[in-house]
Coordinates of all heavy atoms in Angstrom, one line a residue:
M607 N 0.9 -1.2 0.0 CA 0.0 0.0 0.0 C 0.9 1.2 0.0 O 1.9 1.3 0.8 CB -0.9 0.0 1.3 CG -1.5 1.3 1.6 SD -2.4 1.2 3.2 CE -3.5 2.5 2.9
K608 N 0.6 2.2 -0.9 CA 1.3 3.5 -0.8 C 0.3 4.5 -0.4 O -0.9 4.6 -0.7 CB 1.8 3.8 -2.3 CG 3.0 3.0 -2.7 CD 3.6 3.5 -4.0 CE 4.9 2.6 -4.3 NZ 5.6 3.1 -5.3
V609 N 0.9 5.4 0.4 CA 0.0 6.5 1.0 C 0.8 7.8 1.0 O 2.0 7.8 1.3 CB -0.5 6.1 2.4 CG1 0.5 5.8 3.3 CG2 -1.5 7.1 2.9
G610 N 0.2 8.8 0.6 CA 0.9 10.2 0.7 C 1.1 10.6 2.1 O 0.4 10.1 3.0
I611 N 2.1 11.4 2.3 CA 2.5 11.9 3.6 C 1.4 12.5 4.4 O 1.2 12.3 5.6 CB 3.8 12.7 3.6 CG1 4.4 12.7 5.0 CG2 3.5 14.1 3.0 CD1 5.9 13.2 4.9
Y612 N 0.6 13.3 3.7 CA -0.5 14.1 4.4 C -1.6 13.1 4.8 O -2.2 13.2 5.9 CB -1.0 15.2 3.5 CG 0.1 16.2 3.3 CD1 0.8 16.4 2.1 CD2 0.5 17.1 4.3 CE1 1.7 17.3 1.9 CE2 1.5 18.0 4.2 CZ 2.1 18.1 3.0 OH 3.2 18.9 2.8
E613 N -1.9 12.1 3.9 CA -2.9 11.1 4.3 C -2.4 10.2 5.4 O -3.2 9.9 6.3 CB -3.2 10.2 3.1 CG -4.3 9.3 3.4 CD -4.6 8.3 2.1 OE1 -4.1 8.5 1.1 OE2 -5.5 7.4 2.3
A614 N -1.1 10.0 5.3 CA -0.5 9.1 6.4 C -0.6 9.9 7.8 O -0.9 9.2 8.8 CB 1.0 8.8 6.1
K615 N -0.4 11.2 7.7 CA -0.5 12.0 9.0 C -1.9 11.9 9.5 O -2.1 11.7 10.8 CB -0.2 13.4 8.7 CG -0.1 14.3 9.9 CD 0.3 15.7 9.4 CE 0.2 16.6 10.6 NZ 0.6 18.0 10.2
S616 N -2.9 11.9 8.7 CA -4.3 11.9 9.2 C -4.8 10.5 9.6 O -5.7 10.4 10.3 CB -5.2 12.6 8.2 OG -5.3 11.9 7.0
K617 N -4.2 9.5 9.0 CA -4.7 8.1 9.3 C -3.5 7.3 9.9 O -3.4 6.1 9.6 CB -5.1 7.4 8.0 CG -6.3 8.1 7.3 CD -6.7 7.5 6.0 CE -7.9 8.1 5.4 NZ -8.2 7.5 4.1
L618 N -2.6 7.8 10.6 CA -1.5 7.2 11.1 C -1.8 5.9 11.9 O -1.2 4.8 11.8 CB -0.6 8.1 12.0 CG 0.7 7.5 12.5 CD1 1.6 7.1 11.5 CD2 1.4 8.5 13.4
S619 N -2.8 6.0 12.8 CA -3.1 4.8 13.6 C -3.5 3.7 12.7 O -3.1 2.5 13.0 CB -4.3 5.2 14.5 OG -4.6 4.1 15.4
H620 N -4.3 3.9 11.7 CA -4.8 2.9 10.8 C -3.6 2.3 10.0 O -3.5 1.1 9.9 CB -5.8 3.4 9.8 CG -6.3 2.5 8.8 ND1 -7.0 1.3 9.1 CD2 -6.0 2.5 7.4 CE1 -7.2 0.7 7.9 NE2 -6.6 1.3 7.0
I621 N -2.7 3.1 9.4 CA -1.6 2.5 8.7 C -0.6 1.8 9.5 O 0.0 0.8 9.1 CB -0.9 3.6 7.7 CG1 -0.2 4.6 8.5 CG2 -1.9 4.1 6.8 CD1 0.6 5.5 7.6
V622 N -0.5 2.2 10.9 CA 0.4 1.4 11.8 C -0.2 0.1 12.0 O 0.5 -0.9 12.0 CB 0.6 2.3 13.1 CG1 1.1 1.4 14.2 CG2 1.4 3.5 12.8
D623 N -1.5 0.0 12.2 CA -2.1 -1.3 12.4 C -1.9 -2.1 11.2 O -1.7 -3.4 11.3 CB -3.7 -1.1 12.6 CG -4.0 -0.6 13.9 OD1 -3.1 -0.6 14.9 OD2 -5.2 0.0 14.1
L624 N -2.0 -1.6 9.9 CA -1.8 -2.4 8.7 C -0.4 -2.9 8.7 O -0.1 -4.1 8.4 CB -2.0 -1.5 7.5 CG -3.5 -1.1 7.2 CD1 -3.6 -0.2 6.0 CD2 -4.4 -2.3 7.0
A625 N 0.6 -2.1 9.0 CA 2.0 -2.5 9.0 C 2.2 -3.6 10.1 O 2.9 -4.6 9.8 CB 2.9 -1.4 9.3
R626 N 1.6 -3.5 11.2 CA 1.7 -4.5 12.3 C 1.2 -5.9 11.8 O 1.7 -6.8 12.3 CB 1.0 -4.1 13.6 CG 1.7 -2.9 14.3 CD 2.9 -3.3 15.1 NE 2.7 -4.3 16.0 CZ 3.6 -5.2 16.4 NH1 4.8 -5.2 15.9 NH2 3.3 -6.2 17.3
R627 N 0.2 -5.8 11.0 CA -0.4 -7.1 10.5 C 0.4 -7.6 9.3 O 0.1 -8.7 8.8 CB -1.9 -6.9 10.1 CG -2.8 -6.7 11.3 CD -4.3 -6.7 10.9 NE -4.5 -5.5 10.1 CZ -5.4 -4.6 10.4 NH1 -6.1 -4.7 11.5 NH2 -5.6 -3.6 9.6
G628 N 1.5 -7.0 8.9 CA 2.3 -7.5 7.9 C 2.2 -6.8 6.5 O 2.9 -7.3 5.5
E629 N 1.3 -5.9 6.4 CA 1.1 -5.2 5.0 C 2.3 -4.3 4.9 O 2.6 -3.5 5.8 CB -0.2 -4.5 5.0 CG -0.5 -3.9 3.6 CD -1.8 -3.5 3.4 OE1 -2.8 -4.0 4.0 OE2 -2.1 -2.6 2.5
E630 N 2.8 -4.2 3.7 CA 3.9 -3.2 3.4 C 3.3 -1.9 3.2 O 2.4 -1.7 2.4 CB 4.7 -3.7 2.1 CG 5.7 -2.7 1.8 CD 6.6 -3.2 0.6 OE1 7.5 -4.0 0.7 OE2 6.2 -2.7 -0.5
V631 N 3.7 -0.9 3.9 CA 3.2 0.4 3.8 C 4.4 1.3 3.4 O 5.3 1.4 4.1 CB 2.6 1.0 5.1 CG1 2.1 2.4 5.0 CG2 1.4 0.0 5.5
I632 N 4.2 2.0 2.2 CA 5.2 3.0 1.8 C 4.6 4.4 1.8 O 3.5 4.6 1.3 CB 5.7 2.6 0.4 CG1 6.4 1.3 0.5 CG2 6.6 3.7 -0.1 CD1 6.9 0.7 -0.8
I633 N 5.3 5.3 2.5 CA 4.8 6.6 2.5 C 5.5 7.5 1.5 O 6.8 7.5 1.4 CB 5.1 7.3 4.0 CG1 4.3 6.4 5.0 CG2 4.6 8.7 4.0 CD1 4.5 6.8 6.4
T634 N 4.7 8.2 0.7 CA 5.3 9.0 -0.4 C 5.2 10.5 -0.1 O 4.4 10.9 0.7 CB 4.5 8.7 -1.7 OG1 3.2 9.1 -1.6 CG2 4.6 7.2 -2.0
K635 N 6.0 11.3 -0.8 CA 5.9 12.7 -0.8 C 6.1 13.2 -2.2 O 7.1 12.8 -2.8 CB 7.1 13.3 0.2 CG 7.0 14.8 0.4 CD 8.0 15.2 1.4 CE 7.8 16.7 1.7 NZ 8.8 17.1 2.7
N636 N 5.2 14.0 -2.7 CA 5.2 14.5 -4.1 C 5.4 13.3 -5.0 O 6.1 13.4 -6.0 CB 6.4 15.5 -4.3 CG 6.3 16.7 -3.4 OD1 5.1 17.1 -3.2 ND2 7.3 17.3 -3.0
G637 N 4.7 12.2 -4.7 CA 4.6 11.0 -5.7 C 5.9 10.1 -5.6 O 6.0 9.2 -6.3
K638 N 6.8 10.5 -4.7 CA 8.1 9.7 -4.6 C 8.2 8.9 -3.3 O 7.8 9.5 -2.3 CB 9.3 10.6 -4.8 CG 9.5 11.3 -6.1 CD 10.7 12.1 -6.2 CE 10.7 12.9 -7.5 NZ 11.8 13.8 -7.6
D639 N 8.5 7.7 -3.4 CA 8.7 6.9 -2.2 C 9.7 7.5 -1.2 O 10.8 7.9 -1.6 CB 9.2 5.4 -2.5 CG 8.1 4.7 -3.3 OD1 7.0 5.2 -3.6 OD2 8.4 3.5 -3.7
Q640 N 9.3 7.6 0.0 CA 10.2 8.2 1.0 C 10.6 7.3 2.1 O 11.8 7.1 2.4 CB 9.5 9.4 1.7 CG 9.1 10.5 0.8 CD 10.4 11.2 0.1 OE1 11.3 11.6 0.8 NE2 10.4 11.3 -1.2
V641 N 9.7 6.5 2.7 CA 10.0 5.5 3.8 C 9.0 4.3 3.6 O 7.9 4.4 3.1 CB 9.8 6.2 5.2 CG1 10.8 7.3 5.4 CG2 8.4 6.7 5.4
K642 N 9.5 3.3 4.2 CA 8.7 2.1 4.3 C 8.4 1.9 5.8 O 9.3 1.9 6.7 CB 9.5 0.8 3.8 CG 8.6 -0.4 3.8 CD 9.3 -1.7 3.5 CE 10.1 -1.7 2.3 NZ 10.7 -3.0 2.0
L643 N 7.2 1.7 6.2 CA 6.7 1.5 7.6 C 6.7 0.0 7.9 O 6.1 -0.7 7.2 CB 5.4 2.1 7.7 CG 4.8 2.1 9.1 CD1 5.7 3.0 10.0 CD2 3.4 2.7 9.2
V644 N 7.6 -0.3 8.8 CA 7.7 -1.8 9.2 C 7.5 -1.9 10.6 O 7.9 -1.1 11.4 CB 9.1 -2.4 8.7 CG1 9.2 -2.4 7.2 CG2 10.2 -1.7 9.4
P645 N 6.9 -3.1 11.1 CA 6.7 -3.3 12.5 C 8.0 -3.5 13.3 O 8.9 -4.1 12.7 CB 5.8 -4.4 12.6 CG 6.0 -5.2 11.3 CD 6.4 -4.2 10.3
V646 N 8.1 -3.2 14.5 CA 9.3 -3.5 15.3 C 9.0 -4.9 15.9 O 7.9 -5.2 16.3 CB 9.3 -2.5 16.5 CG1 10.3 -2.9 17.6 CG2 9.5 -1.1 16.1
P647 N 10.0 -5.8 15.8 CA 9.8 -7.1 16.3 C 9.4 -7.2 17.8 O 9.9 -6.3 18.5 CB 11.2 -7.8 16.0 CG 11.9 -6.9 15.1 CD 11.4 -5.6 15.3
D648 N 8.6 -8.1 18.1 CA 8.3 -8.2 19.5 C 9.5 -8.5 20.4 O 10.4 -9.3 19.9 CB 7.3 -9.3 19.8 CG 5.9 -9.1 19.2 OD1 5.6 -7.9 19.2 OD2 5.2 -10.0 18.8
K649 N 9.6 -8.0 21.5 CA 10.8 -8.1 22.4 C 10.8 -9.5 23.1 O 9.7 -9.9 23.5 CB 10.8 -7.1 23.6 CG 12.0 -6.8 24.2 CD 11.9 -5.6 25.1 CE 13.3 -5.2 25.5 NZ 13.2 -4.1 26.5
K650 N 11.8 -10.2 23.0 CA 11.8 -11.6 23.6 C 11.8 -11.4 25.1 O 12.3 -10.5 25.7 CB 13.1 -12.3 23.2 CG 13.1 -12.7 21.7 CD 14.3 -13.5 21.4 CE 14.3 -14.0 20.0 NZ 15.4 -14.8 19.6
S651 N 11.2 -12.4 25.7 CA 11.1 -12.5 27.1 C 12.5 -13.0 27.7 O 13.2 -13.8 27.1 CB 10.0 -13.5 27.6 OG 10.1 -13.8 28.9
W652 N 12.8 -12.5 28.9 CA 14.0 -12.9 29.6 C 13.9 -14.4 30.0 O 14.9 -15.1 30.1 CB 14.3 -12.1 30.8 CG 14.9 -10.8 30.4 CD1 14.2 -9.6 30.2 CD2 16.2 -10.5 30.4 NE1 15.1 -8.7 29.9 CE2 16.4 -9.1 30.0 CE3 17.4 -11.2 30.6 CZ2 17.5 -8.5 29.8 CZ3 18.6 -10.6 30.5 CH2 18.7 -9.3 30.0
I653 N 12.6 -14.8 30.2 CA 12.4 -16.2 30.7 C 12.8 -17.2 29.5 O 12.2 -17.1 28.5 CB 11.0 -16.5 31.1 CG1 10.6 -15.5 32.3 CG2 10.7 -17.8 31.5 CD1 9.2 -15.5 32.7
G654 N 13.7 -18.0 29.8 CA 14.1 -19.1 28.9 C 15.1 -18.6 27.8 O 15.4 -19.3 26.9
M655 N 15.6 -17.4 27.9 CA 16.5 -16.8 26.9 C 17.8 -17.6 26.7 O 18.4 -17.5 25.7 CB 16.7 -15.3 27.0 CG 17.6 -14.9 28.2 SD 17.8 -13.2 28.3 CE 18.9 -12.8 27.0
W656 N 18.2 -18.2 27.8 CA 19.5 -19.0 27.7 C 19.2 -20.5 27.5 O 20.2 -21.3 27.5 CB 20.3 -18.7 28.9 CG 20.8 -17.4 29.1 CD1 20.3 -16.4 29.9 CD2 21.8 -16.7 28.3 NE1 21.0 -15.2 29.7 CE2 21.9 -15.3 28.7 CE3 22.7 -17.2 27.3 CZ2 22.8 -14.5 28.2 CZ3 23.6 -16.2 26.7 CH2 23.6 -14.9 27.2
E657 N 18.0 -20.8 27.2 CA 17.7 -22.3 27.1 C 18.5 -22.9 26.1 O 18.6 -22.4 24.9 CB 16.2 -22.5 26.8 CG 15.7 -23.9 26.8 CD 14.2 -24.1 26.5 OE1 13.5 -23.0 26.5 OE2 13.8 -25.1 26.4
G658 N 19.1 -24.1 26.4 CA 19.9 -24.8 25.4 C 21.3 -24.3 25.2 O 22.1 -24.8 24.6
Q659 N 21.7 -23.2 25.9 CA 23.0 -22.5 25.7 C 23.8 -22.7 27.0 O 25.1 -22.5 26.9 CB 22.8 -21.0 25.5 CG 22.1 -20.8 24.1 CD 21.9 -19.3 23.9 OE1 22.9 -18.6 24.0 NE2 20.8 -18.9 23.4
I660 N 23.3 -23.0 28.1 CA 24.0 -23.2 29.4 C 23.7 -24.6 29.9 O 22.6 -25.1 29.9 CB 23.6 -22.2 30.4 CG1 24.0 -20.8 29.9 CG2 24.2 -22.4 31.7 CD1 23.5 -19.6 30.8
K661 N 24.7 -25.2 30.4 CA 24.6 -26.6 31.0 C 25.0 -26.5 32.5 O 26.1 -26.1 32.7 CB 25.4 -27.6 30.3 CG 25.3 -29.0 30.9 CD 25.8 -30.1 30.0 CE 25.8 -31.5 30.6 NZ 24.6 -32.0 30.9
I662 N 24.1 -26.9 33.3 CA 24.4 -27.0 34.7 C 24.5 -28.5 35.0 O 23.6 -29.2 34.9 CB 23.3 -26.3 35.6 CG1 23.2 -24.8 35.3 CG2 23.6 -26.6 37.0 CD1 22.1 -24.1 35.9
H663 N 25.7 -28.9 35.4 CA 26.0 -30.2 35.6 C 25.3 -30.7 36.9 O 25.0 -30.0 37.8 CB 27.6 -30.4 35.8 CG 28.3 -30.1 34.6 ND1 28.4 -31.1 33.6 CD2 28.9 -29.1 34.1 CE1 29.1 -30.6 32.5 NE2 29.4 -29.3 32.9
D664 N 25.1 -32.0 36.9 CA 24.4 -32.7 38.0 C 25.0 -32.4 39.4 O 24.4 -32.4 40.4 CB 24.2 -34.2 37.7 CG 23.3 -34.4 36.6 OD1 22.5 -33.6 36.2 OD2 23.5 -35.6 36.0
N665 N 26.4 -32.4 39.4 CA 27.0 -32.2 40.7 C 27.3 -30.6 41.0 O 28.1 -30.3 41.9 CB 28.4 -32.9 40.6 CG 29.4 -32.2 39.6 OD1 29.0 -31.4 38.8 ND2 30.6 -32.7 39.6
F666 N 26.6 -29.8 40.5 CA 26.7 -28.4 40.6 C 26.7 -27.9 42.1 O 27.5 -27.2 42.6 CB 25.6 -27.6 39.9 CG 25.6 -26.1 40.2 CD1 26.5 -25.2 39.6 CD2 24.6 -25.5 41.0 CE1 26.5 -23.9 39.9 CE2 24.7 -24.2 41.3 CZ 25.6 -23.4 40.7
D667 N 25.7 -28.5 42.9 CA 25.6 -28.2 44.3 C 26.1 -29.2 45.3 O 25.8 -29.1 46.4 CB 24.1 -27.9 44.5 CG 23.2 -29.0 44.2 OD1 23.6 -30.1 43.7 OD2 22.0 -28.9 44.5
D668 N 27.0 -30.1 44.7 CA 27.7 -31.0 45.7 C 28.7 -30.2 46.5 O 29.2 -29.2 46.1 CB 28.4 -32.1 44.9 CG 27.5 -33.0 44.3 OD1 26.3 -33.0 44.5 OD2 28.0 -33.9 43.5
P669 N 28.9 -30.7 47.7 CA 29.9 -30.0 48.6 C 31.3 -30.0 47.9 O 31.7 -30.9 47.2 CB 29.9 -30.8 49.9 CG 28.6 -31.7 49.9 CD 28.3 -31.8 48.4
L670 N 32.0 -28.9 48.2 CA 33.4 -28.8 47.7 C 34.3 -29.7 48.5 O 34.1 -29.9 49.7 CB 33.9 -27.4 47.7 CG 33.1 -26.4 46.8 CD1 33.6 -25.0 47.1 CD2 33.2 -26.7 45.3
D671 N 35.4 -30.2 47.8 CA 36.4 -31.0 48.6 C 37.1 -30.0 49.4 O 37.1 -28.7 49.2 CB 37.2 -31.8 47.8 CG 38.0 -31.1 46.7 OD1 38.6 -30.1 47.1 OD2 38.2 -31.6 45.6
D672 N 37.9 -30.4 50.4 CA 38.6 -29.5 51.3 C 39.6 -28.6 50.6 O 39.7 -27.4 51.0 CB 39.4 -30.3 52.3 CG 38.4 -31.0 53.3 OD1 37.3 -30.5 53.4 OD2 38.8 -32.0 54.0
D673 N 40.3 -29.1 49.6 CA 41.3 -28.2 48.8 C 40.5 -27.0 48.1 O 41.0 -25.9 48.2 CB 42.1 -29.0 47.9 CG 43.0 -29.9 48.5 OD1 43.4 -29.7 49.6 OD2 43.4 -31.0 47.9
D674 N 39.4 -27.3 47.5 CA 38.7 -26.3 46.8 C 38.1 -25.3 47.8 O 38.0 -24.1 47.6 CB 37.7 -26.8 45.9 CG 38.3 -27.6 44.7 OD1 39.4 -27.2 44.3 OD2 37.6 -28.5 44.1
L675 N 37.5 -25.9 48.8 CA 36.9 -25.0 49.9 C 37.8 -24.0 50.5 O 37.6 -22.9 50.8 CB 36.2 -25.9 50.9 CG 35.4 -25.2 52.0 CD1 34.2 -24.5 51.3 CD2 34.8 -26.2 53.0
A676 N 39.1 -24.5 50.7 CA 40.2 -23.7 51.3 C 40.5 -22.5 50.4 O 40.8 -21.4 50.9 CB 41.4 -24.5 51.5
L677 N 40.3 -22.6 49.1 CA 40.6 -21.5 48.2 C 39.6 -20.3 48.5 O 39.9 -19.1 48.3 CB 40.4 -21.9 46.7 CG 41.5 -22.9 46.3 CD1 41.1 -23.4 44.9 CD2 42.9 -22.3 46.2
F678 N 38.3 -20.7 48.8 CA 37.3 -19.7 49.2 C 37.5 -19.2 50.6 O 37.3 -18.0 50.8 CB 36.0 -20.2 48.9 CG 35.6 -20.5 47.5 CD1 35.8 -21.7 46.9 CD2 35.2 -19.4 46.7 CE1 35.5 -21.9 45.5 CE2 34.8 -19.6 45.3 CZ 35.0 -20.8 44.8
E679 N 37.7 -20.0 51.5 CA 37.7 -19.6 52.9 C 39.0 -18.9 53.4 O 39.0 -18.1 54.2 CB 37.4 -20.8 53.8 CG 36.0 -21.4 53.6 CD 35.7 -22.6 54.5 OE1 36.7 -23.2 54.9 OE2 34.5 -22.8 54.7
D680 N 40.2 -19.3 52.9 CA 41.4 -18.8 53.3 C 41.9 -17.7 52.5 O 42.8 -17.0 53.0 CB 42.4 -19.9 53.4 CG 42.1 -21.1 54.3 OD1 41.2 -20.8 55.2 OD2 42.5 -22.2 54.1
G681 N 41.5 -17.5 51.3 CA 42.0 -16.4 50.5 C 41.4 -15.1 50.8 O 40.4 -15.0 51.5
P682 N 42.0 -14.0 50.2 CA 41.4 -12.7 50.4 C 40.0 -12.6 49.7 O 39.8 -13.2 48.8 CB 42.3 -11.8 49.7 CG 43.1 -12.5 48.7 CD 43.1 -14.0 49.3
I683 N 39.2 -11.8 50.3 CA 37.8 -11.6 49.7 C 37.9 -10.9 48.3 O 37.2 -11.3 47.4 CB 36.9 -10.7 50.7 CG1 36.6 -11.6 51.9 CG2 35.6 -10.4 50.0 CD1 35.9 -11.0 53.0
E684 N 38.8 -10.0 48.2 CA 39.1 -9.3 47.0 C 40.6 -9.0 46.9 O 41.3 -9.0 47.9 CB 38.3 -8.0 46.9 CG 38.4 -7.0 48.0 CD 37.5 -5.9 47.9 OE1 36.3 -6.1 47.8 OE2 38.0 -4.8 48.1
P685 N 41.0 -8.8 45.7 CA 42.5 -8.5 45.6 C 42.9 -7.3 46.3 O 42.1 -6.3 46.4 CB 42.7 -8.4 44.1 CG 41.4 -8.5 43.4 CD 40.3 -8.8 44.4
P686 N 44.1 -7.2 46.8 CA 44.6 -5.9 47.4 C 44.6 -4.8 46.5 O 44.9 -5.0 45.3 CB 45.9 -6.3 48.0 CG 46.4 -7.5 47.2 CD 45.1 -8.2 46.7
L687 N 44.4 -3.6 46.9 CA 44.5 -2.4 46.0 C 46.0 -2.2 45.8 O 46.8 -2.4 46.6 CB 43.8 -1.2 46.7 CG 42.3 -1.4 46.9 CD1 41.8 -0.2 47.8 CD2 41.6 -1.4 45.6
P688 N 46.3 -1.6 44.6 CA 47.6 -1.3 44.3 C 48.2 -0.3 45.3 O 47.6 0.7 45.8 CB 47.6 -0.6 42.9 CG 46.2 -1.0 42.3 CD 45.4 -1.3 43.5
G689 N 49.4 -0.5 45.7 CA 50.1 0.4 46.7 C 49.8 0.1 48.2 O 50.1 0.8 49.0
K690 N 49.0 -0.9 48.4 CA 48.6 -1.2 49.9 C 49.2 -2.5 50.3 O 49.4 -3.4 49.6 CB 47.2 -1.2 50.0 CG 46.6 0.2 49.9 CD 45.3 0.3 50.6 CE 44.8 1.7 50.5 NZ 43.8 2.1 51.3

């Protein structure tokens, strides 16, 4: 569908609805194509966005052995600042 810029201004809500439904809408000025109105893709939900990309192993929450636990308990909480 081609629509002049002045008609598009007065029927903007209608032509946006047409574009959202998949119809190609081209807005013209002085008979020349100026812009194509296309819908913005729906935003993906955060829920499930990493599905299939991250693997959590079965032993993820098993207790750490003593050597690994010591790395967390005996080491500094954060690295020392330079000059200190």
Side-chain angles (χ1 to χ4, degrees):
M607 160 184 209
K608 287 191 179 188
V609 61
I611 196 163
Y612 296 106
E613 183 181 357
K615 183 178 176 182
S616 64
K617 297 181 179 179
L618 183 60
S619 182
H620 175 68
I621 65 169
V622 166
D623 289 341
L624 292 174
R626 289 286 301 151
R627 287 190 293 243
E629 185 168 339
E630 183 177 273
V631 177
I632 296 177
I633 299 175
T634 63
K635 185 174 184 180
N636 297 326
K638 295 181 184 176
D639 295 354
Q640 299 294 309
V641 296
K642 184 190 312 186
L643 187 62
V644 296
V646 175
D648 291 331
K649 200 172 192 180
K650 289 186 177 181
S651 170
W652 282 88
I653 298 172
M655 71 180 287
W656 295 105
E657 184 175 354
Q659 299 179 41
I660 295 176
K661 178 166 176 63
I662 298 176
H663 294 276
D664 293 336
N665 67 349
F666 173 77
D667 57 355
D668 287 353
L670 296 174
D671 61 42
D672 290 338
D673 291 335
D674 290 336
L675 188 59
L677 293 172
F678 288 96
E679 292 180 340
D680 299 337
I683 293 176
E684 54 187 48
L687 296 173
K690 291 202 176 195

